[in-house]
Amino acid sequence: MKAKPFLFGLVTGIVGGTIAVLFSTPQSGRQLRTNLRENAEITKGKLFEVKHQVDNVKQSVNTLTNEVKNNIPQIINELKQTITTFTDEIEPTKNNLQQEIEALQNTISEIEKNVAQITEKEKKPQEKISD
């Protein structure tokens, strides 16, 4: 939301509401002028407060934007370095695990061959008996 239309709407609402209240109550001319002056001062004070708060919000947004612009690249670089370091640290472990997996697969293959040979040896004597 843009600040100018919002502030314009806010000011219009405050002034319109003040004028409606002042003219809808029965008063003498002197009382009306006094009330108008008082309400004008109150309205000026409220508008000053609103302007001050808007300026604070603008300043906060600018500060946040600058911090984000400065910190995001640094955070990205730190993440890249961390990932690179992690990758470098796990590479030896990865290689060792791959070697162990290959050794286990070879062992499993040998066990399967031995089991197949034993099974065949056991079947041959049974075939001779049944002949």
Side-chain angles (χ1 to χ4, degrees), residues 68 70-82:
V68 167
N70 293 333
N71 290 335
I72 291 295
Q74 180 182 355
I75 291 170
I76 290 172
N77 287 334
E78 288 176 1
L79 280 172
K80 285 179 181 178
Q81 289 175 345
T82 302

Side-chain angles (χ1 to χ4, degrees), residues 7-74:
L7 290 176
F8 181 73
L10 183 66
V11 169
T12 304
I14 290 172
V15 170
T18 303
I19 290 172
V21 168
L22 288 175
F23 288 119
S24 66
T25 57
Q27 309 174 359
S28 67
R30 180 177 287 162
Q31 284 178 326
L32 180 61
R33 286 188 296 275
T34 304
N35 285 342
L36 282 174
R37 268 188 240 111
E38 288 174 359
N39 286 329
E41 291 299 319
I42 291 171
T43 303
K44 285 180 187 178
K46 287 183 181 181
L47 288 175
F48 179 76
E49 288 177 24
V50 168
K51 183 180 181 270
H52 182 68
Q53 289 175 355
V54 167
D55 289 340
N56 285 342
V57 169
K58 283 182 182 179
Q59 185 179 6
S60 296
V61 167
N62 287 336
T63 301
L64 180 62
T65 303
N66 289 334
E67 286 183 20
V68 167
K69 284 180 183 177
N70 293 333
N71 290 335
I72 291 295
Q74 180 182 355

